[in-house]
Amino acid sequence: MEEKGLLKVVKFGGSSLANAEQFKKVGDIIKSDKDRHFAIPSAPGKRFNTDVKVTDLLYKCQEKAVNNEDFSEEFEDIKSRYNEIIEGLGISLSLEEEFALIEKNLKEKAGKDYAASRGEYLNGIIMANYLDFTFVDAATVLFFNKEGVFDSEKTNEVLGKKLKKVEYAVIPGFYGSLPDGTIKTFSRGGSDITGAIVARAIKADIYENWTDVSGFLVADPRIIYNPEPIDIITYKELRELSYMGASVLHEDSIFPVRKAGIPVNIKNTNAPEDPGSWIVESTGQKSKYVITGIAGRKGFSAINIDKDMMNVEVGFGRKVLQAFEENDISFEHMPSGIDTMTLFVEQKAFEPKEQLVISAIHKLAEPDSIEIESGIALIAVVGRGMKSARGTAGRIFAALAHARINVRMIDQGSSELNIIIGVDNDDFEFAIKAIYDIFVEVQL
Ligand code: ASP
């Protein structure tokens, strides 16, 4: 009996396609598995630390063109990046006509999104030629409405229909079109989103997201030396760890695949044999440790609001939140006591509006006192295994006490998926290390 293959969508990030050498690795990966039907490329990224991404060069050209400045130097750089790839791959393809058209459009003051999108567009043409796949311009299959909001349903239908008719195709990442045909991009790093959208439209079995790391790590490698990788993580856990995940995978790329129940496999182009991390809806598999991951960020402010008998005053919380809403400030966490509530907000966003928010709280909620503390770091300790493991919180706080770290705040949702801890900015790295060691190192 003939074996029925899987349907895989594969997205490659900018560093995986930064030059011909990387491009060849990508070609080998795709060709080594005939289930890899649809490929989504980013624009060429950095070849070395101080290099400039093609997307950034394109933004620069557009900026200069709008100011009637000469952008030929940057444009030549872009051209040579692509020509080097073409030459290195040994394919017979000329992008001269495309370059000329893009240059002309830029001179005629084409938009920022159009300019940026050309990075993926040109890379898509090269990739399709190199792999002998069909090129499908994302502008013809990904749609935004006239308000600029992504139109997921129309896209899903048109894209699904189109790709049903092709066996192997390249669809450039990062952009689509508005109803009048103008190009519109997602936010930076948005090729991840395109990959997820394609996966949903064709009901893929797996969405492989190829990058330059072998998946998620239990903790930040800048803080923990050689941290353990995460083999499986649920969508929910990843959301709770969003401080960590953002640099590996665009947050918005979760929604389309999650909706369709498609697992995501983060893989490393430079180490394709590594299993990478799986992101799944749900799993019966225990994580290796009680915790799945630890992530955090410095730079939060705590606004402590006190009022006697707060607990019986109906609507008090709403009034306080209204003061933040009116000033367009979102909050991260909101632990509370019987007569107190505290809001944790990003210090950078809060500081310029500090006094406006305080006076609004006074006006709306009439509290007894308000106190602000800043320089706080938040740490999320996340794990689906916490629910069934006794003493997790105890172990965390014993480890922090042992490391002489003062805990400023504790917040645990009733889902028992995470514990949020607030510490001083200065204690941040020590706290992460103490928690990591107690759960991971000790068991080795
Ligand atoms: N090239 C775009 C960027 O640099 C999109 C992407 O790489 O996903 O943001």
Side-chain angles (χ1 to χ4, degrees), residues 310-435:
M310 178 193 291
N311 63 325
V312 290
E313 187 181 325
V314 176
F316 183 82
R318 179 184 47 76
K319 291 172 199 158
V320 170
L321 293 182
Q322 191 182 334
F324 286 85
E325 186 180 351
E326 283 175 0
N327 287 287
D328 203 20
I329 291 179
S330 65
F331 69 92
E332 293 284 319
H333 292 283
M334 189 178 58
S336 63
I338 190 99
D339 284 337
T340 63
M341 67 187 272
T342 306
L343 274 93
F344 282 84
V345 295
E346 212 179 286
Q347 197 170 325
K348 227 171 54 213
F350 176 68
E351 260 170 9
K353 296 179 180 167
E354 183 186 271
Q355 294 312 314
L356 289 171
V357 176
I358 300 307
S359 67
I361 300 173
H362 274 292
K363 231 182 282 165
L364 292 158
E366 300 174 346
D368 294 336
S369 68
I370 300 175
E371 203 186 304
I372 303 171
E373 291 173 76
S374 33
I376 295 175
L378 292 178
I379 298 169
V381 186
V382 176
R384 58 188 183 278
M386 281 172 18
K387 223 191 284 200
S388 46
R390 246 183 301 156
T392 310
R395 290 171 74 189
I396 295 174
F397 296 112
L400 292 173
H402 195 72
R404 298 179 182 284
I405 292 164
N406 182 27
V407 175
R408 308 279 302 266
M409 182 275 281
I410 306 165
D411 198 5
Q412 178 178 26
S414 58
S415 67
E416 279 193 71
L417 194 64
N418 64 348
I419 296 177
I420 310 289
I421 300 152
V423 298
D424 282 341
N425 275 347
D426 290 345
D427 287 335
F428 178 67
E429 284 86 1
F430 297 111
I432 294 215
K433 194 155 176 3
I435 299 167

Side-chain angles (χ1 to χ4, degrees), residues 2-3 5 86 129 160 172 185 191-192 295 333-334 345 392 418 428 434:
E2 200 194 328
E3 211 185 303
I86 292 173
N129 187 292
T185 63
S191 297
D192 285 343
H333 292 283
M334 189 178 58
V345 295
T392 310
N418 64 348
F428 178 67

